[in-house]
Amino acid sequence: MPYLGFRVRDTSTDAPLGDAPALAVLVPRPGNALPPSGGAPRPWPGPDAEPGFFATARNRSGDVVVLDVPAGIHPVEIRAAGYVPRRARARSPGSWPVCVRLHRSADYPFAADDTLLLGTIVRSSGAPGAGLHVRLIDPDPAVPGHRAPVDARGRYVIYVPEKRSRSAVTLAVAHASGVARAEIEDVIPHRTHVAPLIVVP
């Protein structure tokens, strides 16, 4: 029977997350759907413990294998504690494992001296800006333009280990009507900074 395989990694460090106890790959059985997005991702029960989802296993490399998935295109959610869940569609059979990188969320246990940019995005209706992405624009060319997803509560965190000097930075959010921007006037390395609220249509 075909299967799906995923090699899950941390976007910031490229470290594998295959040994994380709360890592889960959810593929609903036909007739079922993925659970609603919202709140922090919760650990998922082990193989066959949750009705309506295909069983999973891990190989010796820490890859997550979704077992006995029939041929076709299937919705997938990959989640781990401290990371923003990622949804996609996967074809079975296919070339496996697929490498998937997860971004750290505001719930990740960062170190006290990490350089972090935290913020919230809301829509003009008041709903969270879930599903959007925030891009960092730093005047220092050595600092990459990190792009972080917004979680179901409208929160985002950008981890910037490359920042070495203090400066202003700009945060840009692309949306259906254009691009919204916010500025943090003084970002100091090895500190946490809170960005102004960004409102999008």
Side-chain angles (χ1 to χ4, degrees):
M1 186 65 109
Y3 66 93
L4 304 176
F6 300 91
R7 179 164 295 150
V8 186
R9 307 187 81 87
D10 181 304
T11 299
S12 299
T13 63
D14 203 39
L17 298 178
D19 292 333
L23 175 65
V25 177
L26 309 179
V27 179
R29 294 183 179 276
N32 294 299
L34 289 171
S37 292
R42 66 181 178 86
W44 206 259
D48 293 325
E50 186 68 23
F53 291 86
F54 288 101
T56 61
R58 296 187 193 188
N59 64 18
R60 292 181 181 177
S61 301
D63 302 333
V64 178
V65 178
V66 186
L67 305 170
D68 299 328
V69 179
I73 298 175
H74 301 270
V76 178
E77 180 171 291
I78 300 169
R79 53 170 68 172
Y83 291 84
V84 178
R86 182 167 173 186
R87 290 193 172 194
R89 298 185 74 78
R91 181 184 295 276
S92 172
S95 299
W96 307 106
V98 171
C99 187
V100 176
R101 289 176 169 81
L102 296 183
H103 286 265
R104 297 175 183 187
S105 73
D107 298 319
Y108 185 87
F110 289 99
D113 62 349
D114 283 339
T115 306
L116 303 175
L117 310 176
L118 305 175
T120 303
I121 298 176
V122 298
R123 299 191 181 273
S124 53
S125 65
L132 297 172
H133 287 77
V134 181
R135 184 169 60 90
L136 171 65
I137 302 170
D138 192 291
D140 183 349
V143 176
H146 293 289
R147 185 171 177 265
V150 178
D151 71 14
R153 289 182 269 180
R155 304 175 310 162
Y156 63 88
V157 59
I158 301 176
Y159 170 51
V160 196
E162 306 86 356
K163 190 148 188 70
R164 298 289 181 263
S165 59
R166 64 191 296 175
S167 71
V169 302
T170 301
L171 303 171
V173 182
H175 54 84
S177 305
V179 178
R181 290 182 171 83
E183 186 168 296
I184 304 177
E185 295 181 358
D186 189 18
V187 173
I188 302 170
H190 309 297
R191 293 191 186 174
T192 297
H193 303 82
V194 178
L197 177 70
I198 299 176
V199 180
V200 300

